[in-house]
Structure formats: structure tokens, C-alpha cells
Amino acid sequence: MKETVIERLIRYAKIDTQSDPESSTTPSTEKQFDLLNLLKDELEEIGLTEITLDENGYLFATLPANTDKDLPTIGFLAHVDTSPDFSGTNVNPQRIDNYDGGDIRLNDELTMSPSYFPNLKNYVGQTLITTDGTTLLGADDKAGIVEIMTAMEYLVQHPEIKHGKIRVAFTPDEEIGRGPHKFDVKAFGADYAYTMDGGPLGELQYESFNAAGVKVTTRGTSVHPGSAKNKMVNAITLAIQFQNSMPKESVPEKTEGYEGFIHLMNFNGHIEEAKLSYIIRDHDREKFEAKKAHFLEVEQMVKNKYGEDAITVEIEDQYYNMREKIEPVKEIVDIAYKAMENLNIEPIIEPVRGGTDGSQLSFMGLPTPNIFAGGENMHGKFEFVSAETMEKATRVILEIIRLYEEQAK
């Protein structure tokens, strides 16, 4: 199984599937179909049924039940797109066998060192897949795809493992917060699901941020600087003043655990107009709403000083804390927990400091906790994944499926 997950990860990682937050289409980039079409063919080869790929990039498939027990239909999901934060073009994965715990030379100019990334020390003796230092790897979430595909193939090859109906979904645009926007929960037909989209070994998550995106536009008046006194209004200056009104400690680099943040993602402009893009994140709904309210308060302050047209703040909620929808069916988390324990994996229950498709799907009627897929240092050139962790994640899928059948009457 180890060589299978390595081969699949390398093959999938080489396909550019980067999503685009500026696009209005679904999927946001046509190239996501390159991997979706490949996966569709592989699902057919493996022997799954009811395979559908719609025009929006949602690929569904079924592994039919092989037991007469009355079991819920369980789904497993992963997303095909990679983050727009760093290049996903011409990915050239590198394989490090029997990692010795030292520096990893990604290319002639770049080294990944455990002195800066101490998490590397957790993988001594294992096989790592890294980047070549020029792109991200895409283990987020192609490792999840690998694990689901490998588990389904294993179940087809081992019919002695009894299971209920299993549904698989590979989806677009998770990295830009739009993964489930056109996901047909009814057509998918699962009672519960799991996203294979977490990080290190043992992660099991059923709490996520509440999330919103914010677009701020400031507008000014351009006048020749030699005669600008009392005439010029510099939109860049207004934008800087707006950013300086945000809380200084509530930023990603100063928060952890259950602490929320406001993150300036992008800033560009000129004298006439400047644009800022933010994301707001908080596990606590009241604190989340307070952060949004702060944006509107600062907007009004700018308008009071410079006029109604000086600034526009647009806030759009993206997803909410999935705990609200999963706690009433907490047994689905308990089964995943037991599956890990059975495999001698220590479950790590912690909140997602981000979002998964399960955040939105849970509110769409499909309770969906998140399970580790193995990726580390995601969304950048230092991303890597352990083959052993991917193999263990695959076995967690199999054990979850087995436990549902075992516990049924």
C-alpha cells in the first residue's frame, strides 16, 4: 500500500489544479477538470459504480454495499484544487527515502531545515514527498484523494470486508471557500461524510472557524502633487488608515487554538482607488460578529471624515462552525476516534484553524467531520507529506467503514 500511495500522490501532484478566487465560474479554473477526468477514469477502472461528473466539477461515485445489514450511507470527500497562495504549475515532487532527520535540499538555493521546521523530526525513518522548492506540493488535498482512491480499490479487491453503501466525492474550489457551493447533497445521498483534508497524523476535527471575506475599496481624488494642497485625497492613504484601525494582535501570526483573527490578504491601488481583501475567522460566533461589526464601524468613521463615497466595505459570510451540526450526531466522530485507536493512532481532537468543505456541508444537511490526510507546511514551497501517514489515513478509512458494519444490528 505504501508504494501505491506514493505513486498516486506524485502522479496527481504533477497536474496543475490551482483555483482562482477572481474567477466567477465553477470550477474557478478549467484545469481542475484535468484531474477530475483522470479520477473519473480511475474510478471506473477500480470498479465503482454510479459515477457522475457534472459541468461544475463535482465527481461522485458509489461502492455498493456487500452486506444485508441496514447501514447508513457514508461518504468520503477530498478536493482537487490547490491553493492560489503559491504556484501550482510544473510541480516536481521529490522522494526522500528513510529521512535521516537532517536538512533537506530542495534545490541548489533552498533547503528545508528542522531547525526552522521542527515538525520534520516527527518523520525520521519515513518516506517523505517534498517540493523542489519552486511550487507547492498539493498534498492539500491530493493526499486525501490518494487515500480515498486507495481505500476504495482495496475494498473492491477484498470483498470479504463487509460494508454498507459508500459514496465518494471529489470537488473543486475548496481553497477559495466555494467548494460546496454547488454540491448536490441530495444527489450525493449520504447520511454522514468525512473529509480527508486535515494535516498531521491523528487529527480529527469537528469544529471549524466561522468565516467571512471582506472587500474594502477606498476612493480618492488625483491632483498634481505640486498643486494638491486641500484638493488631493489619496486612496492609498485612506486604505492604510483603514488597515491601521484593525486590531494589531488579532492576526494569524499572533494567534493559535481558539483565537480568531483578521487577515489582510491583498492590498493594491493608486491615488484614485485602492483595494484591500481580508478574511475574518473566529470559532466563537459572538466574537465573529463583533469582528465584522468593527469593519463597519471603521467604514463609518472614514465616511464621516471624507464623505460617503470615500469607502465601501463588502462583507460576505463564507461558512460557520460545523460543531453546531455535528454534535447532535457525535457518534460519527466517536467512530472515527475508535478507528484511530484500533490502529494505534493517537486521536488529536482540535479545532480546524481554517475551513474544510465539511464546514459548509454540515449546514447543508450532511454532517461532515475532518480527518488527517498528512500534509505539512501546506500552501507553500516547504510543503511535504509522509507516505506512512498517507497509508495510515487510508487504513483509518477502511477501519471506519468496518466499524459501521460491525456496530450495526
Side-chain angles (χ1 to χ4, degrees):
M1 187 179 289
K2 177 180 172 181
E3 290 302 317
T4 299
V5 298
I6 291 172
E7 183 276 328
R8 278 199 165 108
L9 189 280
I10 291 174
R11 183 155 47 87
Y12 298 162
K14 289 181 178 180
I15 301 172
D16 184 357
T17 56
Q18 195 170 44
S19 48
D20 178 7
E22 301 303 317
S23 170
S24 61
T25 63
T26 304
S28 62
T29 53
E30 189 69 18
K31 58 190 176 184
Q32 292 179 60
F33 276 111
D34 294 343
L35 180 54
L36 287 163
N37 283 315
L38 181 149
L39 293 172
K40 180 175 181 289
D41 291 343
E42 288 191 9
L43 288 166
E44 291 172 352
E45 292 169 7
I46 287 170
L48 269 64
T49 63
E50 300 178 330
I51 301 170
T52 60
L53 175 59
D54 69 18
E55 68 277 10
N56 295 310
Y58 294 85
L59 174 59
F60 294 170
T62 295
L63 179 64
N66 64 0
T67 177
D68 293 330
K69 289 186 179 180
D70 185 16
L71 297 173
T73 298
I74 305 302
F76 291 91
L77 296 81
H79 62 89
V80 299
D81 66 311
T82 61
S83 171
D85 292 351
F86 201 72
S87 174
T89 303
N90 297 322
V91 174
N92 181 32
Q94 300 188 109
R95 173 174 175 163
I96 313 295
D97 286 304
N98 194 23
Y99 171 56
D100 63 7
D103 291 355
I104 297 174
R105 194 167 184 81
L106 300 179
N107 57 45
D108 290 341
E109 299 177 352
L110 193 65
T111 296
M112 181 164 58
S113 172
S115 63
Y116 193 85
F117 298 107
N119 51 333
L120 280 167
K121 290 293 188 181
N122 298 326
Y123 298 97
V124 173
Q126 299 187 26
T127 299
L128 303 184
I129 310 300
T130 75
T131 75
D132 68 356
T134 64
T135 69
L136 49 66
L137 178 62
D140 180 14
D141 186 27
K142 290 171 184 175
I145 298 172
V146 165
E147 292 147 11
I148 294 169
M149 292 291 289
T150 305
M152 295 304 106
E153 184 175 48
Y154 188 89
L155 288 170
V156 170
Q157 293 173 350
H158 294 81
E160 71 276 9
I161 301 174
K162 300 304 178 183
H163 56 80
K165 182 178 180 180
I166 308 298
R167 287 285 273 166
V168 168
F170 300 126
T171 62
D173 292 342
E174 189 271 353
E175 295 291 359
I176 57 174
R178 304 205 300 252
H181 283 194
K182 296 185 179 180
F183 189 104
D184 191 333
V185 170
K186 184 177 180 181
F188 188 56
D191 296 290
Y192 315 115
Y194 299 89
T195 47
M196 303 301 298
D197 193 20
L201 180 69
E203 278 191 354
L204 174 57
Q205 301 157 322
Y206 66 98
E207 298 178 80
S208 63
F209 278 136
N210 297 288
V214 185
K215 293 182 179 179
V216 178
T217 304
T218 59
R219 301 176 188 85
T221 302
S222 180
V223 178
H224 189 286
S227 56
K229 186 173 182 178
N230 299 324
K231 299 173 186 175
M232 177 187 288
V233 177
N234 192 328
I236 300 172
T237 302
L238 294 186
I240 292 170
Q241 291 176 4
F242 187 92
Q243 166 59 15
N244 287 341
S245 297
M246 293 295 111
K248 302 296 186 293
E249 299 301 311
S250 294
V251 291
E253 60 268 34
K254 295 183 179 182
T255 55
E256 62 184 355
Y258 282 95
E259 297 170 328
F261 58 76
I262 293 170
H263 182 31
L264 177 61
M265 299 280 289
N266 201 342
F267 185 164
N268 62 76
H270 45 81
I271 294 172
E272 286 279 342
E273 185 177 85
K275 293 182 179 292
L276 305 93
S277 297
Y278 293 87
I279 58 173
I280 301 173
R281 300 290 188 264
D282 210 298
H283 294 95
D284 184 282
R285 188 63 174 265
E286 289 187 9
K287 292 179 180 178
F288 173 65
E289 296 297 337
K291 285 179 170 63
K292 291 194 295 181
H294 181 68
F295 273 82
L296 300 178
E297 290 166 5
V298 177
E299 176 192 31
Q300 192 57 53
M301 288 169 54
V302 173
K303 286 183 174 181
N304 291 343
K305 187 172 182 178
Y306 295 100
E308 285 291 318
D309 294 334
I311 187 169
T312 301
V313 173
E314 301 171 271
I315 302 176
E316 181 179 358
D317 286 359
Q318 295 169 322
Y319 55 84
Y320 303 108
N321 190 339
M322 59 187 178
R323 177 175 182 166
E324 179 182 332
K325 299 298 181 181
I326 293 176
E327 278 197 322
V329 288
K330 181 74 167 3
E331 62 269 19
I332 67 177
V333 177
D334 297 338
I335 284 178
Y337 192 99
K338 182 172 176 56
M340 292 186 196
E341 286 190 321
N342 289 353
L343 296 168
N344 297 314
I345 298 168
E346 182 181 354
I348 302 171
I349 302 284
E350 59 181 18
V352 182
R353 285 189 61 78
T356 71
D357 282 345
S359 305
Q360 296 178 59
L361 290 170
S362 294
F363 280 85
M364 294 165 65
L366 181 61
T368 308
N370 189 44
I371 294 172
F372 71 92
E376 295 251 29
N377 301 346
M378 294 180 282
H379 295 193
K381 57 192 173 186
F382 295 108
E383 185 182 4
F384 70 91
V385 66
S386 155
E388 284 81 358
T389 301
M390 287 193 293
E391 182 179 7
K392 288 177 180 177
T394 303
R395 296 194 183 280
V396 167
I397 295 173
L398 297 171
E399 184 65 7
I400 287 172
I401 290 169
R402 191 192 70 78
L403 285 172
Y404 272 100
E405 198 277 339
E406 179 183 270
Q407 295 180 10
K409 295 179 180 179

